[in-house]
Amino acid sequence: MQKAGSQSLRESSNGNMSSVDLFSPTTVGGLTLANRVAMAPMTRSRANADAVPAPFSAAYYADRSDAGLLITEGTGPSAMGMGYARTPGIYNDAQVAAWRNITDAVHAKGGRIFLQIMHVGRIAHAANRTIAAAPIAPSAIRAQGQMWTDTQGMQPNDVPRSLETSEIAGVVEEFAHATRNAIAGAGFDGVELHAASGYLPNQFLATGSNQRTDAYGGSTENRIRFVVEVLEAMTKAAGSAGRVGIKVSPGMPFNDLQDEDPIGTHLALMDAIGPMSLAYLHVMRTGIGAETALRDRYQGTLLVGGGLDKEQANAGISSGAFDVAVFGAKYLANPDLVARLKSDAALNVPDNSTFYTPGEKGYTDYPTLGS
Ligand SMILES: Cc1cc2nc3c(=O)[nH]c(=O)nc-3n(C[C@H](O)[C@H](O)[C@H](O)COP(=O)(O)O)c2cc1C
């Protein structure tokens, strides 16, 4: 690899050497992105009690549409898949209509937007749910930890019910249904499977939460089966694998997730999903170097996030360590993040007291440069 100043040169697909940085266009699953800055999926808890996104969420996303790619907050594929207060769903007509307003607002400004599909599995409390049934999980093991409920304050996660083998195809179909609603119904450019952070797909992957003895538990091959089947169903429902991405966070202990060999598990997953030609793999950095191990094993487009600043993002992109840089908290607080990064302007500081509160404060009111 040659170097020109501080920026290295990468071989482009036509064999020429060219410089690439955060602001270079790229393609993801056939979709052209204006730059390599993505907004991370971030739960903001502004939906109503029926899991319908707020009308003002259209402004929140549209204000950030200079991103090469926006990825939405985690969104439930079914009432069973919901667990937190005021998070949105994509399983009924009212939700689809509200999301359509959001995608229209983003597209009107030339933005690109994927919906993150998040089934919480065992990370749930009854006070946050519209159905009385216990949450489902690979095994009936309660996740240590507490979550916020609007009516009872902090509460421990509920004890989940273990899925019967015969029920799993129905859960997989929920992800397909959500994908159809997102793309054909709500007009998203694509969908991202949330297989990170200790939610249902991640619960299947990990030895601590998956103690099944059927074809979905035990060996690594069995523990990755659920995620592979969900991705197959989602790509079919999307009509193209290029409209489906996946997020993983190997080694992240969040939500009481324990795996004996997180990198090994995810390498096996890469081998299984590599041939699918998905839009992208999105890796959240957790400090164990998984993003490097997975880059070596996975041929497709790689998005990486987790505490990145501009220098790290540019270095990762120009060296070929990853293709697109994902920003979470910085994007939440800076609607014009791309412009600020370009001009090295100071960044607004995220106010974590309003991350999950209802209403527009701390949501649509962060100032832009010059405002
Ligand atoms: C308020 C907030 C909500 C989040 N919600 C989600 C979520 O719904 N889905 C998800 O995959 N990650 C979620 N994350 C994690 C981010 O996507 C990202 O991986 C993380 O913030 C690290 O990136 P950063 O250091 O640039 O913020 C959330 C992060 C924040 C700050």
Side-chain angles (χ1 to χ4, degrees), residues 40-43 73-74 116 194 247 284 306-307 327-329 332 355-356:
M42 284 179 286
T43 292
E73 62 212 90
Q116 187 186 58
H194 194 354
K247 181 178 181 186
M284 183 184 164
F327 295 90
L332 177 159
F355 277 5
Y356 306 110

Side-chain angles (χ1 to χ4, degrees), residues 50-115:
D50 295 323
V52 177
F56 52 78
S57 292
Y60 166 74
Y61 284 109
D63 286 350
R64 289 161 176 75
S65 54
D66 284 350
L69 181 65
L70 299 170
I71 309 169
T72 72
E73 62 212 90
T75 301
S78 59
M80 177 56 89
M82 310 290 298
Y84 288 112
R86 289 171 275 104
T87 50
I90 186 81
Y91 49 88
N92 67 32
D93 291 347
Q95 294 159 355
V96 170
W99 280 119
R100 170 60 82 168
N101 287 337
I102 293 169
T103 65
D104 283 349
V106 168
H107 289 148
K109 294 183 78 176
R112 308 286 198 192
I113 183 164
F114 271 43
L115 178 80

